[in-house]
Amino acid sequence: MTIRVLLADDQTLLRATFRMLINSCEDMTVVGEASNGAEAVDLARAHHPDIVLMDIRMPGTDGLAATSAICADPELSATRVLILTTFETEDYVARALHAGASGFLGKDVTTDTLLAGLRTIASGEALLSPAATRTLIANFLMTPAPGTRLVSARHLSELTARERETMAMAAEGRSNTEIAETLTLSPLTVRTHIYRAMAKLGARDRAQLVVIAYQTGLVQVTPPTS
């Protein structure tokens, strides 16, 4: 299946570079390009891409507002947003995750990492490195803005003990393979537990499941060591 990608960035040269790179892959194609957030929303509604590769800082409607609009649109429930950013803007990234973005990459990303990231997001996984996840959680996700809390702690009772366990480990930034090795399970079984937890808690994807794990207190923030 071909992964259909929409590019949203105000830098023409960068969009052209990404387009050439993505279109060189047999399993990917660029279906449109937007130079600002408003165009990204309109093109997403027109083309229903699998992934929107979204810059945050754009003129007019920025990537954060566009992410919120795309992820809130029922007609775009199958579209995932992958944020492009520098890690100096963790507050914006955290707000984008609250809005439904499935992950983020730095603009200095390597070719292989970008392509692997697109495939990861397309498969339904979140693209959150352990280090970046801890930084975001510690600084922002524990103090959500009013109205952004996804679920209350009581909803955790709907999960089985194993689902809570795998969810907690995912929130710590561990991959399915790492969780499987720790719990002596198959990666497929771990994936099943993660998806069941997502379904029960109404999480759009693994990224939102991470947010819920910390907001409900399932996982506690460990202060960074100096």
mmCIF file with all atom_site columns, all heavy atoms in Angstrom, residues 209-221:
data_model
loop_
_atom_site.group_PDB
_atom_site.id
_atom_site.type_symbol
_atom_site.label_atom_id
_atom_site.label_alt_id
_atom_site.label_comp_id
_atom_site.label_asym_id
_atom_site.label_entity_id
_atom_site.label_seq_id
_atom_site.pdbx_PDB_ins_code
_atom_site.Cartn_x
_atom_site.Cartn_y
_atom_site.Cartn_z
_atom_site.occupancy
_atom_site.B_iso_or_equiv
_atom_site.pdbx_formal_charge
_atom_site.auth_seq_id
_atom_site.auth_comp_id
_atom_site.auth_asym_id
_atom_site.auth_atom_id
_atom_site.pdbx_PDB_model_num
ATOM 1  N N   . LEU A 1 209 ? -1.935 8.062  23.894 1.00 0.00 ? 209 LEU A N   1
ATOM 2  C CA  . LEU A 1 209 ? -1.914 7.110  25.001 1.00 0.00 ? 209 LEU A CA  1
ATOM 3  C C   . LEU A 1 209 ? -0.826 7.491  26.000 1.00 0.00 ? 209 LEU A C   1
ATOM 4  O O   . LEU A 1 209 ? -1.010 7.372  27.213 1.00 0.00 ? 209 LEU A O   1
ATOM 5  C CB  . LEU A 1 209 ? -1.670 5.699  24.469 1.00 0.00 ? 209 LEU A CB  1
ATOM 6  C CG  . LEU A 1 209 ? -2.005 4.555  25.434 1.00 0.00 ? 209 LEU A CG  1
ATOM 7  C CD1 . LEU A 1 209 ? -3.516 4.492  25.668 1.00 0.00 ? 209 LEU A CD1 1
ATOM 8  C CD2 . LEU A 1 209 ? -1.520 3.222  24.871 1.00 0.00 ? 209 LEU A CD2 1
ATOM 9  N N   . VAL A 1 210 ? 0.312  7.975  25.498 1.00 0.00 ? 210 VAL A N   1
ATOM 10 C CA  . VAL A 1 210 ? 1.387  8.456  26.369 1.00 0.00 ? 210 VAL A CA  1
ATOM 11 C C   . VAL A 1 210 ? 0.902  9.629  27.213 1.00 0.00 ? 210 VAL A C   1
ATOM 12 O O   . VAL A 1 210 ? 1.131  9.693  28.423 1.00 0.00 ? 210 VAL A O   1
ATOM 13 C CB  . VAL A 1 210 ? 2.617  8.863  25.533 1.00 0.00 ? 210 VAL A CB  1
ATOM 14 C CG1 . VAL A 1 210 ? 3.634  9.595  26.393 1.00 0.00 ? 210 VAL A CG1 1
ATOM 15 C CG2 . VAL A 1 210 ? 3.257  7.639  24.895 1.00 0.00 ? 210 VAL A CG2 1
ATOM 16 N N   . VAL A 1 211 ? 0.224  10.575 26.575 1.00 0.00 ? 211 VAL A N   1
ATOM 17 C CA  . VAL A 1 211 ? -0.291 11.733 27.294 1.00 0.00 ? 211 VAL A CA  1
ATOM 18 C C   . VAL A 1 211 ? -1.246 11.284 28.400 1.00 0.00 ? 211 VAL A C   1
ATOM 19 O O   . VAL A 1 211 ? -1.160 11.741 29.542 1.00 0.00 ? 211 VAL A O   1
ATOM 20 C CB  . VAL A 1 211 ? -1.024 12.690 26.327 1.00 0.00 ? 211 VAL A CB  1
ATOM 21 C CG1 . VAL A 1 211 ? -1.684 13.832 27.100 1.00 0.00 ? 211 VAL A CG1 1
ATOM 22 C CG2 . VAL A 1 211 ? -0.050 13.256 25.298 1.00 0.00 ? 211 VAL A CG2 1
ATOM 23 N N   . ILE A 1 212 ? -2.143 10.369 28.067 1.00 0.00 ? 212 ILE A N   1
ATOM 24 C CA  . ILE A 1 212 ? -3.127 9.892  29.044 1.00 0.00 ? 212 ILE A CA  1
ATOM 25 C C   . ILE A 1 212 ? -2.438 9.210  30.215 1.00 0.00 ? 212 ILE A C   1
ATOM 26 O O   . ILE A 1 212 ? -2.841 9.378  31.370 1.00 0.00 ? 212 ILE A O   1
ATOM 27 C CB  . ILE A 1 212 ? -4.122 8.928  28.361 1.00 0.00 ? 212 ILE A CB  1
ATOM 28 C CG1 . ILE A 1 212 ? -5.012 9.694  27.387 1.00 0.00 ? 212 ILE A CG1 1
ATOM 29 C CG2 . ILE A 1 212 ? -4.978 8.204  29.405 1.00 0.00 ? 212 ILE A CG2 1
ATOM 30 C CD1 . ILE A 1 212 ? -5.880 8.800  26.516 1.00 0.00 ? 212 ILE A CD1 1
ATOM 31 N N   . ALA A 1 213 ? -1.394 8.432  29.947 1.00 0.00 ? 213 ALA A N   1
ATOM 32 C CA  . ALA A 1 213 ? -0.693 7.714  31.014 1.00 0.00 ? 213 ALA A CA  1
ATOM 33 C C   . ALA A 1 213 ? -0.172 8.664  32.076 1.00 0.00 ? 213 ALA A C   1
ATOM 34 O O   . ALA A 1 213 ? -0.245 8.377  33.281 1.00 0.00 ? 213 ALA A O   1
ATOM 35 C CB  . ALA A 1 213 ? 0.443  6.889  30.424 1.00 0.00 ? 213 ALA A CB  1
ATOM 36 N N   . TYR A 1 214 ? 0.354  9.807  31.653 1.00 0.00 ? 214 TYR A N   1
ATOM 37 C CA  . TYR A 1 214 ? 0.884  10.773 32.603 1.00 0.00 ? 214 TYR A CA  1
ATOM 38 C C   . TYR A 1 214 ? -0.205 11.632 33.220 1.00 0.00 ? 214 TYR A C   1
ATOM 39 O O   . TYR A 1 214 ? -0.169 11.944 34.413 1.00 0.00 ? 214 TYR A O   1
ATOM 40 C CB  . TYR A 1 214 ? 1.941  11.650 31.930 1.00 0.00 ? 214 TYR A CB  1
ATOM 41 C CG  . TYR A 1 214 ? 3.252  10.930 31.763 1.00 0.00 ? 214 TYR A CG  1
ATOM 42 C CD1 . TYR A 1 214 ? 3.536  10.203 30.614 1.00 0.00 ? 214 TYR A CD1 1
ATOM 43 C CD2 . TYR A 1 214 ? 4.215  10.942 32.769 1.00 0.00 ? 214 TYR A CD2 1
ATOM 44 C CE1 . TYR A 1 214 ? 4.726  9.518  30.468 1.00 0.00 ? 214 TYR A CE1 1
ATOM 45 C CE2 . TYR A 1 214 ? 5.410  10.264 32.635 1.00 0.00 ? 214 TYR A CE2 1
ATOM 46 C CZ  . TYR A 1 214 ? 5.665  9.555  31.485 1.00 0.00 ? 214 TYR A CZ  1
ATOM 47 O OH  . TYR A 1 214 ? 6.845  8.865  31.350 1.00 0.00 ? 214 TYR A OH  1
ATOM 48 N N   . GLN A 1 215 ? -1.199 12.022 32.434 1.00 0.00 ? 215 GLN A N   1
ATOM 49 C CA  . GLN A 1 215 ? -2.271 12.865 32.967 1.00 0.00 ? 215 GLN A CA  1
ATOM 50 C C   . GLN A 1 215 ? -3.100 12.138 34.022 1.00 0.00 ? 215 GLN A C   1
ATOM 51 O O   . GLN A 1 215 ? -3.603 12.763 34.956 1.00 0.00 ? 215 GLN A O   1
ATOM 52 C CB  . GLN A 1 215 ? -3.180 13.339 31.834 1.00 0.00 ? 215 GLN A CB  1
ATOM 53 C CG  . GLN A 1 215 ? -2.566 14.402 30.953 1.00 0.00 ? 215 GLN A CG  1
ATOM 54 C CD  . GLN A 1 215 ? -3.560 14.978 29.966 1.00 0.00 ? 215 GLN A CD  1
ATOM 55 O OE1 . GLN A 1 215 ? -4.662 14.469 29.781 1.00 0.00 ? 215 GLN A OE1 1
ATOM 56 N NE2 . GLN A 1 215 ? -3.164 16.060 29.320 1.00 0.00 ? 215 GLN A NE2 1
ATOM 57 N N   . THR A 1 216 ? -3.253 10.832 33.883 1.00 0.00 ? 216 THR A N   1
ATOM 58 C CA  . THR A 1 216 ? -4.044 10.065 34.842 1.00 0.00 ? 216 THR A CA  1
ATOM 59 C C   . THR A 1 216 ? -3.221 9.575  36.023 1.00 0.00 ? 216 THR A C   1
ATOM 60 O O   . THR A 1 216 ? -3.766 8.996  36.964 1.00 0.00 ? 216 THR A O   1
ATOM 61 C CB  . THR A 1 216 ? -4.691 8.842  34.158 1.00 0.00 ? 216 THR A CB  1
ATOM 62 O OG1 . THR A 1 216 ? -3.657 8.038  33.564 1.00 0.00 ? 216 THR A OG1 1
ATOM 63 C CG2 . THR A 1 216 ? -5.679 9.271  33.087 1.00 0.00 ? 216 THR A CG2 1
ATOM 64 N N   . GLY A 1 217 ? -1.904 9.766  35.976 1.00 0.00 ? 217 GLY A N   1
ATOM 65 C CA  . GLY A 1 217 ? -1.066 9.325  37.080 1.00 0.00 ? 217 GLY A CA  1
ATOM 66 C C   . GLY A 1 217 ? -0.634 7.880  36.985 1.00 0.00 ? 217 GLY A C   1
ATOM 67 O O   . GLY A 1 217 ? -0.029 7.353  37.928 1.00 0.00 ? 217 GLY A O   1
ATOM 68 N N   . LEU A 1 218 ? -0.941 7.216  35.872 1.00 0.00 ? 218 LEU A N   1
ATOM 69 C CA  . LEU A 1 218 ? -0.500 5.827  35.717 1.00 0.00 ? 218 LEU A CA  1
ATOM 70 C C   . LEU A 1 218 ? 1.018  5.755  35.773 1.00 0.00 ? 218 LEU A C   1
ATOM 71 O O   . LEU A 1 218 ? 1.591  4.818  36.325 1.00 0.00 ? 218 LEU A O   1
ATOM 72 C CB  . LEU A 1 218 ? -1.009 5.259  34.388 1.00 0.00 ? 218 LEU A CB  1
ATOM 73 C CG  . LEU A 1 218 ? -0.575 3.827  34.060 1.00 0.00 ? 218 LEU A CG  1
ATOM 74 C CD1 . LEU A 1 218 ? -1.155 2.840  35.071 1.00 0.00 ? 218 LEU A CD1 1
ATOM 75 C CD2 . LEU A 1 218 ? -0.989 3.448  32.639 1.00 0.00 ? 218 LEU A CD2 1
ATOM 76 N N   . VAL A 1 219 ? 1.667  6.761  35.190 1.00 0.00 ? 219 VAL A N   1
ATOM 77 C CA  . VAL A 1 219 ? 3.121  6.876  35.230 1.00 0.00 ? 219 VAL A CA  1
ATOM 78 C C   . VAL A 1 219 ? 3.465  8.217  35.862 1.00 0.00 ? 219 VAL A C   1
ATOM 79 O O   . VAL A 1 219 ? 2.847  9.233  35.543 1.00 0.00 ? 219 VAL A O   1
ATOM 80 C CB  . VAL A 1 219 ? 3.720  6.798  33.809 1.00 0.00 ? 219 VAL A CB  1
ATOM 81 C CG1 . VAL A 1 219 ? 5.231  6.988  33.851 1.00 0.00 ? 219 VAL A CG1 1
ATOM 82 C CG2 . VAL A 1 219 ? 3.379  5.458  33.162 1.00 0.00 ? 219 VAL A CG2 1
ATOM 83 N N   . GLN A 1 220 ? 4.433  8.219  36.753 1.00 0.00 ? 220 GLN A N   1
ATOM 84 C CA  . GLN A 1 220 ? 4.839  9.430  37.438 1.00 0.00 ? 220 GLN A CA  1
ATOM 85 C C   . GLN A 1 220 ? 6.089  10.001 36.788 1.00 0.00 ? 220 GLN A C   1
ATOM 86 O O   . GLN A 1 220 ? 6.954  9.269  36.313 1.00 0.00 ? 220 GLN A O   1
ATOM 87 C CB  . GLN A 1 220 ? 5.115  9.145  38.917 1.00 0.00 ? 220 GLN A CB  1
ATOM 88 C CG  . GLN A 1 220 ? 3.920  8.601  39.683 1.00 0.00 ? 220 GLN A CG  1
ATOM 89 C CD  . GLN A 1 220 ? 2.779  9.591  39.765 1.00 0.00 ? 220 GLN A CD  1
ATOM 90 O OE1 . GLN A 1 220 ? 3.012  10.802 39.932 1.00 0.00 ? 220 GLN A OE1 1
ATOM 91 N NE2 . GLN A 1 220 ? 1.556  9.108  39.658 1.00 0.00 ? 220 GLN A NE2 1
ATOM 92 N N   . VAL A 1 221 ? 6.183  11.323 36.787 1.00 0.00 ? 221 VAL A N   1
ATOM 93 C CA  . VAL A 1 221 ? 7.361  11.971 36.239 1.00 0.00 ? 221 VAL A CA  1
ATOM 94 C C   . VAL A 1 221 ? 8.537  11.775 37.164 1.00 0.00 ? 221 VAL A C   1
ATOM 95 O O   . VAL A 1 221 ? 8.430  11.963 38.382 1.00 0.00 ? 221 VAL A O   1
ATOM 96 C CB  . VAL A 1 221 ? 7.114  13.481 36.049 1.00 0.00 ? 221 VAL A CB  1
ATOM 97 C CG1 . VAL A 1 221 ? 8.415  14.184 35.674 1.00 0.00 ? 221 VAL A CG1 1
ATOM 98 C CG2 . VAL A 1 221 ? 6.079  13.715 34.984 1.00 0.00 ? 221 VAL A CG2 1
#
